[in-house]
């Protein structure tokens, strides 16, 4: 299944190039789909993962669906249990990034690149989406 991540990224890039999307939006979409598909692979026991792009006048929505209903990790943020310093206590040394929790780092990237993103769980599985 790890081969599905580069394949999804490549297909997203191809589709968006065909639509004439600007290069910076294509690269943002490639990074986002990489993170969302990677999370789907890591957090589901099924081999069935779907990735879909929806284009509208407002932009592009990236959707990743899997049959699992495992909890999606929340984005890591300062002051939580990720090991980052609390506000007012600056990080020092080269290991500041090493203290980030394994779960949620990729979603920080999704949060930074997407206009908005979210997740929805149902009996049939879980959908995670991001708008760019």
């Amino acid at each position: 299944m790890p081969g599905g991540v580069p394949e999804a990224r490549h297909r997203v890039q191809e589709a968006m190039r065909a639509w004439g999307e600007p290069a910076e939006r294509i690269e943002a979409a490639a990074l986002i789909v990489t993170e969302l598909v990677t999370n789907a692979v890591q957090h589901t026991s099924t081999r069935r993962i779907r990735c879909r792009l929806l284009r509208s006048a407002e932009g592009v929505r990236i959707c990743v669906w899997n049959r699992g209903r495992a909890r999606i990790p929340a984005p890591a943020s300062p002051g939580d249990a990720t090991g980052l310093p609390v506000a007012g206590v600056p990080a020092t040394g080269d290991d500041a990034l090493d203290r980030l929790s394994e779960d949620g780092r990729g979603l920080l990237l999704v949060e930074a690149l997407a206009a908005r993103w979210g997740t929805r769980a149902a009996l049939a599985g879980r959908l995670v989406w991001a708008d760019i």
Side-chain angles (χ1 to χ4, degrees):
M1 187 56 108
V5 175
E7 182 179 344
R9 181 176 51 244
H10 178 72
R11 287 185 180 194
V12 163
Q13 290 170 318
E14 280 185 336
M16 292 185 68
R17 280 188 198 106
W19 292 340
E21 293 289 338
E24 61 274 359
R25 185 176 283 187
I26 294 170
E27 289 311 308
L31 289 170
I32 290 170
V33 80
T34 297
E35 294 304 329
L36 296 184
V37 173
T38 297
N39 276 351
V41 168
Q42 290 176 344
H43 297 285
T44 187
S45 58
T46 182
R47 294 180 47 86
R48 186 171 183 141
I49 296 171
R50 291 184 184 168
C51 180
R52 185 171 189 186
L53 292 179
L54 304 171
R55 189 173 183 218
S56 69
E58 292 82 37
V60 175
R61 175 168 282 188
I62 300 164
C63 300
V64 176
W65 177 86
N66 67 67
R67 289 196 184 269
R69 294 188 334 134
R71 180 188 70 83
I72 298 297
S77 63
D80 67 10
T82 63
L84 282 176
V86 205
V89 181
T92 58
D94 293 332
D95 67 339
L97 286 178
D98 291 338
R99 289 184 273 160
L100 279 170
S101 169
E102 285 292 319
D103 286 343
R105 278 193 266 180
L107 292 177
L108 281 174
L109 181 63
V110 172
E111 194 167 271
L113 294 174
R116 64 187 166 271
W117 72 278
T119 181
R120 207 173 323 157
L123 290 176
R126 174 169 300 280
L127 170 72
V128 182
W129 56 269
D131 292 340
I132 57 171

